[in-house]
Amino acid sequence: MASRALVLGGGGPVGIAWESGLLMGLAEAGVDLSTADTVIGTSAGSVVGAQLKLGRSPREIGEPHLRGNAGGRAAAAAAQNPASQGQQPALSPLMELRLKGADAGTDPDELMRAIGKFALEAETITEEQFINSTGYLISKAEGWPKGYMCTAVDANDGTFVAWSGQEGVTLGAAVASSCSVPGVYPPITIGGRRYMDGGMRSGTNADLAKGHDRVVVIAVSVGGSGEGPQAAMAELTRRRLEAELETIRKAGGQVELVTPDAGCAAAFGVNLMDFTRRGPVAVEGVRQGGELAERLRGFWNV
């Protein structure tokens, strides 16, 4: 049987809601991506992926978002941060740093260390508060789920890490580290080091699925239009993802890329950190999943 991997990209609370709805819609139409041999999650995708590999069905994951009451504790903790109150978070310093990655003369290691310094110096909620705000989804987990991996970056030296359960890290701390957006949430202490959002390396880190025969990559954002920093950031993200998909293909794998359709994109709004958008976004995700099922059925159900 072909080995299959599911890659779930980052995208804040809005991304969690969309991915959860999408997976639910696909499963109810006969394409259950939770059967993947390996699930690789980055940021928002780490939260959704952990639940899948803990054995929760796509319906169990998606329904709370449809009702708009997913994660009471998460919402309560996030309420202390304006980024989750329907306001556009102050991400300009982070965006400016990440855009330097488009400059061919920029040392990528130096850039990652600069982002880490920014993350370490930012005023945010505490680590404990943030771990609790993400951990409610996995609070009953015992051990590390088989076939699950999530990504993070060492905020001290910029080293990329893919937590796979072999490092002795708890699932709650690993997921929180993967979700720690610099400047919005605190880097998480693991083994005496502090780790930030795996999305600082890539919004998907899809190249980690290299070696699998069939890979479905779910990316919240891969492109954009217009001008200015956001458009430049979108272009940088698109180029990075294309390179990752090519890495999988060169290793002999087949890839299907799934991104938000027009209806989902409209429901997202301008702030992926806005908890209030989760209900409408999840509804659109379920719809899109149902519509995508025919395209993915022959690819996945082998």
Side-chain angles (χ1 to χ4, degrees):
M1 176 180 275
S3 64
R4 297 171 298 172
L6 171 63
V7 176
L8 296 163
V14 170
I16 291 175
W18 174 65
E19 291 178 352
S20 299
L22 184 80
L23 292 170
M24 178 178 168
L26 280 165
E28 298 202 334
V31 181
D32 188 356
L33 298 186
S34 70
T35 59
D37 300 290
T38 301
V39 173
I40 301 165
T42 291
S43 201
S46 73
V47 176
V48 179
Q51 294 179 83
L52 282 180
K53 277 302 182 180
L54 285 170
R56 294 176 187 165
S57 71
R59 171 170 282 277
E60 288 177 301
I61 296 170
E63 277 193 330
H65 294 281
L66 294 175
R67 295 193 301 265
N69 61 357
R73 273 193 281 170
Q80 301 176 51
N81 194 311
S84 300
Q85 298 172 2
Q87 304 171 31
Q88 182 71 18
L91 295 180
S92 293
L94 175 60
M95 186 174 290
E96 289 174 4
L97 284 169
R98 295 194 67 193
L99 279 173
K100 290 182 179 179
D103 187 340
T106 300
D107 181 333
D109 294 330
E110 181 180 336
L111 173 62
M112 205 56 62
R113 287 191 292 271
I115 294 175
K117 182 175 184 293
F118 169 68
L120 291 167
E121 293 177 350
E123 293 186 12
T124 66
I125 59 176
T126 68
E127 289 186 52
E128 181 180 9
Q129 287 173 317
F130 187 50
I131 290 174
N132 287 339
S133 79
T134 55
Y136 76 97
L137 291 166
I138 52 177
S139 59
K140 296 181 181 179
E142 295 182 5
W144 192 276
K146 181 180 179 181
Y148 173 70
M149 183 184 301
C150 65
T151 66
V153 173
D154 189 317
N156 300 101
D157 64 13
T159 302
F160 176 69
V161 61
W163 305 118
S164 62
Q166 306 300 312
E167 308 83 4
V169 58
T170 66
L171 185 61
V175 170
S177 71
S178 188
C179 294
S180 179
V181 181
V184 180
Y185 298 120
I188 302 301
T189 302
I190 298 173
R193 308 288 292 182
R194 296 187 70 192
Y195 294 87
M196 61 184 177
D197 196 327
M200 295 306 100
R201 175 188 185 254
S202 159
T204 47
N205 294 298
D207 50 321
L208 293 178
K210 174 184 175 181
H212 287 278
D213 299 309
R214 301 191 178 217
V215 182
V216 171
V217 178
I218 297 179
V220 174
S221 178
V222 296
S225 58
E227 301 178 349
Q230 289 188 327
M233 191 69 243
E235 176 61 18
L236 184 62
T237 299
R238 185 191 62 78
R239 293 202 309 267
R240 172 77 199 199
L241 178 55
E242 286 181 351
E244 292 171 6
L245 300 184
E246 187 60 22
T247 295
I248 296 170
R249 295 186 183 109
K250 284 183 176 179
Q254 300 179 58
V255 185
E256 282 284 352
L257 174 63
V258 177
T259 60
D261 64 13
C264 292
F268 278 15
V270 298
N271 180 7
L272 294 178
M273 303 302 292
D274 184 358
F275 275 73
T276 68
R277 309 292 299 185
R278 291 173 300 165
V281 167
V283 170
E284 287 296 314
V286 171
R287 174 197 54 75
Q288 185 181 5
E291 294 174 0
L292 276 173
E294 190 60 34
R295 169 186 142 194
L296 294 182
R297 185 171 290 111
F299 179 80
W300 191 257
N301 295 347
V302 293

